[in-house]
Short mmCIF file of all heavy atoms in Angstrom, two decimals:
data_model
loop_
_atom_site.label_atom_id
_atom_site.label_comp_id
_atom_site.label_asym_id
_atom_site.label_seq_id
_atom_site.Cartn_x
_atom_site.Cartn_y
_atom_site.Cartn_z
N VAL A 23 3.97 -29.98 -22.08
CA VAL A 23 4.27 -29.72 -20.61
C VAL A 23 4.22 -28.24 -20.35
O VAL A 23 3.65 -27.79 -19.39
CB VAL A 23 5.65 -30.29 -20.27
CG1 VAL A 23 6.08 -29.76 -18.92
CG2 VAL A 23 5.58 -31.85 -20.28
N ILE A 24 4.85 -27.44 -21.28
CA ILE A 24 4.86 -25.94 -21.08
C ILE A 24 3.43 -25.41 -21.00
O ILE A 24 3.09 -24.64 -20.13
CB ILE A 24 5.74 -25.30 -22.17
CG1 ILE A 24 7.19 -25.69 -22.04
CG2 ILE A 24 5.56 -23.76 -22.09
CD1 ILE A 24 8.08 -25.23 -23.17
N LEU A 25 2.66 -25.79 -22.00
CA LEU A 25 1.24 -25.29 -22.07
C LEU A 25 0.44 -25.85 -20.89
O LEU A 25 -0.41 -25.11 -20.38
CB LEU A 25 0.61 -25.71 -23.38
CG LEU A 25 1.19 -25.07 -24.60
CD1 LEU A 25 0.59 -25.60 -25.90
CD2 LEU A 25 0.95 -23.51 -24.60
N GLY A 26 0.73 -27.05 -20.42
CA GLY A 26 0.05 -27.55 -19.27
C GLY A 26 0.40 -26.72 -18.00
O GLY A 26 -0.50 -26.44 -17.12
N VAL A 27 1.61 -26.31 -17.83
CA VAL A 27 2.06 -25.48 -16.74
C VAL A 27 1.30 -24.17 -16.81
O VAL A 27 0.85 -23.59 -15.80
CB VAL A 27 3.56 -25.28 -16.71
CG1 VAL A 27 3.97 -24.24 -15.70
CG2 VAL A 27 4.29 -26.62 -16.37
N VAL A 28 1.31 -23.55 -18.03
CA VAL A 28 0.66 -22.22 -18.19
C VAL A 28 -0.86 -22.32 -17.82
O VAL A 28 -1.37 -21.49 -17.09
CB VAL A 28 0.82 -21.66 -19.58
CG1 VAL A 28 -0.03 -20.47 -19.84
CG2 VAL A 28 2.28 -21.44 -19.92
N GLU A 29 -1.54 -23.40 -18.25
CA GLU A 29 -2.93 -23.61 -17.94
C GLU A 29 -3.13 -23.74 -16.41
O GLU A 29 -3.99 -23.11 -15.83
CB GLU A 29 -3.42 -24.87 -18.69
CG GLU A 29 -4.76 -25.38 -18.12
CD GLU A 29 -5.90 -24.38 -18.20
OE1 GLU A 29 -5.81 -23.44 -19.04
OE2 GLU A 29 -6.86 -24.57 -17.44
N GLY A 30 -2.31 -24.61 -15.77
CA GLY A 30 -2.44 -24.78 -14.31
C GLY A 30 -2.20 -23.53 -13.53
O GLY A 30 -2.83 -23.26 -12.54
N LEU A 31 -1.23 -22.70 -14.01
CA LEU A 31 -0.92 -21.47 -13.35
C LEU A 31 -1.97 -20.38 -13.46
O LEU A 31 -2.26 -19.61 -12.55
CB LEU A 31 0.42 -20.90 -13.84
CG LEU A 31 1.69 -21.56 -13.40
CD1 LEU A 31 2.89 -20.95 -14.20
CD2 LEU A 31 1.93 -21.39 -11.88
N THR A 32 -2.69 -20.38 -14.60
CA THR A 32 -3.54 -19.22 -14.93
C THR A 32 -5.05 -19.54 -14.90
O THR A 32 -5.82 -18.58 -14.98
CB THR A 32 -3.17 -18.66 -16.26
OG1 THR A 32 -3.28 -19.66 -17.28
CG2 THR A 32 -1.71 -18.11 -16.25
N GLU A 33 -5.48 -20.75 -14.82
CA GLU A 33 -6.94 -21.08 -14.96
C GLU A 33 -7.72 -20.40 -13.86
O GLU A 33 -8.82 -19.94 -14.11
CB GLU A 33 -7.14 -22.59 -14.95
CG GLU A 33 -8.60 -22.97 -15.01
CD GLU A 33 -9.27 -22.54 -16.27
OE1 GLU A 33 -8.69 -22.70 -17.38
OE2 GLU A 33 -10.41 -21.91 -16.16
N PHE A 34 -7.26 -20.40 -12.59
CA PHE A 34 -8.05 -19.95 -11.51
C PHE A 34 -7.75 -18.59 -10.96
O PHE A 34 -8.44 -18.05 -10.10
CB PHE A 34 -7.97 -21.00 -10.36
CG PHE A 34 -8.53 -22.30 -10.75
CD1 PHE A 34 -7.70 -23.41 -10.98
CD2 PHE A 34 -9.91 -22.43 -11.00
CE1 PHE A 34 -8.23 -24.63 -11.39
CE2 PHE A 34 -10.41 -23.68 -11.40
CZ PHE A 34 -9.56 -24.73 -11.59
N ILE A 35 -6.66 -18.00 -11.46
CA ILE A 35 -6.37 -16.58 -11.11
C ILE A 35 -6.94 -15.74 -12.22
O ILE A 35 -7.02 -16.12 -13.35
CB ILE A 35 -4.89 -16.33 -10.84
CG1 ILE A 35 -4.06 -16.63 -12.12
CG2 ILE A 35 -4.38 -17.21 -9.70
CD1 ILE A 35 -2.61 -16.31 -11.97
N PRO A 36 -7.41 -14.50 -11.91
CA PRO A 36 -8.13 -13.70 -12.85
C PRO A 36 -7.28 -12.99 -13.91
O PRO A 36 -7.28 -11.75 -14.00
CB PRO A 36 -8.86 -12.68 -12.00
CG PRO A 36 -8.03 -12.55 -10.80
CD PRO A 36 -7.45 -13.88 -10.52
N VAL A 37 -6.47 -13.81 -14.66
CA VAL A 37 -5.58 -13.22 -15.63
C VAL A 37 -5.79 -13.77 -17.05
O VAL A 37 -5.08 -13.42 -17.96
CB VAL A 37 -4.11 -13.45 -15.22
CG1 VAL A 37 -3.77 -12.80 -13.91
CG2 VAL A 37 -3.76 -14.93 -15.18
#
Side-chain angles (χ1 to χ4, degrees):
V23 169
I24 292 172
L25 292 173
V27 170
V28 173
E29 165 60 22
L31 284 173
T32 59
E33 178 61 47
F34 296 109
I35 61 177
V37 300

